[in-house]
Amino acid sequence: MNQTCTVIAICNAKGGTAKSTSSINLGAGLGKLGFRVALIDNDPQKANMTMALGQTGSNLRYTMATLLSTALDCPEELPDYIAKTILHVENMDLLPANKKLTGICTRLSVEQTAPSFDLDGIRPEFALRTIIDTIRDQYDYIIIDCGPKLDMLMTNAMVGADQVIIPVQAHYLAMEGLTDILETVKVIQQRYNPNLTIGGILLTMYQSQTNLCRTVSAQIADQYGREIRLFASPIVASIKVAENPVFGGSLFQLFPNHPATKGYADMAQEVAYG
């Protein structure tokens, strides 16, 4: 196992905070720095990461649903199935998803509470970690894109991750999802993964000319800044960022000179070098 590999879960218990965009572009930024990067689409609702990288989930035979089922049922077969599932996009590898992931989320929830669960098997909370441990020695960074629900897939992401990065929209409801996700991290640390840390808070959809964005940034820095890193470069609000999933590629590929691309490049530098 590659002990130098860092696994990052991009999480927020609120939709519309640019989780998928941030996952893709952090990965692309780290790839630009020469690191080996894998992306995991762990969002059961829309599989935005898969779509945004130009893949049609409904056409894929092997996806994260396949791998999670294999982890639960036949973990010894994971290397073969992972090799069939991985897609190569830009300078990264992608473990894609489609709507079948919703059914796996239901299965994980049922098996978590089933009194007849085989205690000799893989616990449902550790299914994704089993996949990650299988590929960890191949990468420097593994980035997990999560959906907005505090469900078993998000639990799996945090159990498998080394750190959580929280994208937060610079909006008056910003604290809503942030509080929930920080509480969830504490629960995961206590029950499953004591080594999980908060990698930072990333402000997204930021408009520096507005008092609202500046106020939200100041509030977050005041409330959490002494304990949690607030990434130095907020991601600016832009129609190009909002439309990024339509074009099938990262901002680095499509809009290399855009201010948002610079923001993600700065973020990658901070993640890699502190």
Side-chain angles (χ1 to χ4, degrees), residues 108-131:
L108 292 169
S109 300
V110 170
E111 294 201 3
Q112 183 189 36
T113 57
S116 60
F117 182 77
D118 180 4
L119 294 179
D120 293 329
I122 300 294
R123 289 290 309 179
E125 298 89 345
F126 288 81
L128 182 52
R129 182 168 177 171
T130 304
I131 296 167

Side-chain angles (χ1 to χ4, degrees), residues 140-159:
D140 301 302
Y141 290 93
I142 298 173
I143 300 171
I144 310 168
D145 179 31
C146 297
K149 290 187 177 180
L150 298 171
D151 57 15
M152 276 294 289
L153 287 172
M154 188 179 289
T155 295
N156 263 260
M158 291 191 185
V159 171

Side-chain angles (χ1 to χ4, degrees), residues 166 178 182 198-201 220-221 224-230:
I166 309 167
L178 182 55
L182 291 174
I198 303 293
I201 297 170
I220 291 175
Y224 299 107
R226 287 181 290 276
E227 299 177 359
I228 301 173
R229 169 171 56 188
L230 182 61

Side-chain angles (χ1 to χ4, degrees), residues 96-249:
N98 58 21
K99 291 182 179 180
K100 291 181 180 179
L101 196 55
T102 301
I104 299 301
C105 185
T106 300
R107 178 184 173 185
L108 292 169
S109 300
V110 170
E111 294 201 3
Q112 183 189 36
T113 57
S116 60
F117 182 77
D118 180 4
L119 294 179
D120 293 329
I122 300 294
R123 289 290 309 179
E125 298 89 345
F126 288 81
L128 182 52
R129 182 168 177 171
T130 304
I131 296 167
I132 289 168
D133 286 346
T134 305
I135 63 173
R136 191 167 189 143
D137 62 353
Q138 302 173 40
Y139 299 101
D140 301 302
Y141 290 93
I142 298 173
I143 300 171
I144 310 168
D145 179 31
C146 297
K149 290 187 177 180
L150 298 171
D151 57 15
M152 276 294 289
L153 287 172
M154 188 179 289
T155 295
N156 263 260
M158 291 191 185
V159 171
D162 300 307
Q163 57 181 261
V164 171
I165 289 177
I166 309 167
V168 176
Q169 184 179 359
H171 194 267
Y172 71 96
L173 292 178
M175 299 294 190
E176 182 182 301
L178 182 55
T179 301
D180 290 342
I181 208 71
L182 291 174
E183 287 300 318
T184 302
V185 168
K186 290 180 182 178
V187 171
I188 298 299
Q189 288 170 330
Q190 292 166 0
R191 294 184 182 178
Y192 306 114
N193 186 0
N195 297 319
L196 182 66
T197 63
I198 303 293
I201 297 170
L202 175 70
L203 283 175
T204 62
M205 305 179 200
Y206 190 81
Q207 297 173 293
S208 59
Q209 69 273 22
T210 67
N211 289 331
L212 175 60
C213 286
R214 291 195 296 270
T215 299
V216 169
S217 177
Q219 287 177 341
I220 291 175
D222 182 63
Q223 187 164 346
Y224 299 107
R226 287 181 290 276
E227 299 177 359
I228 301 173
R229 169 171 56 188
L230 182 61
F231 285 100
S233 297
I235 307 304
V236 299
S238 166
I239 190 64
K240 282 189 169 60
V241 177
E243 292 179 345
N244 185 204
V246 176
F247 295 104

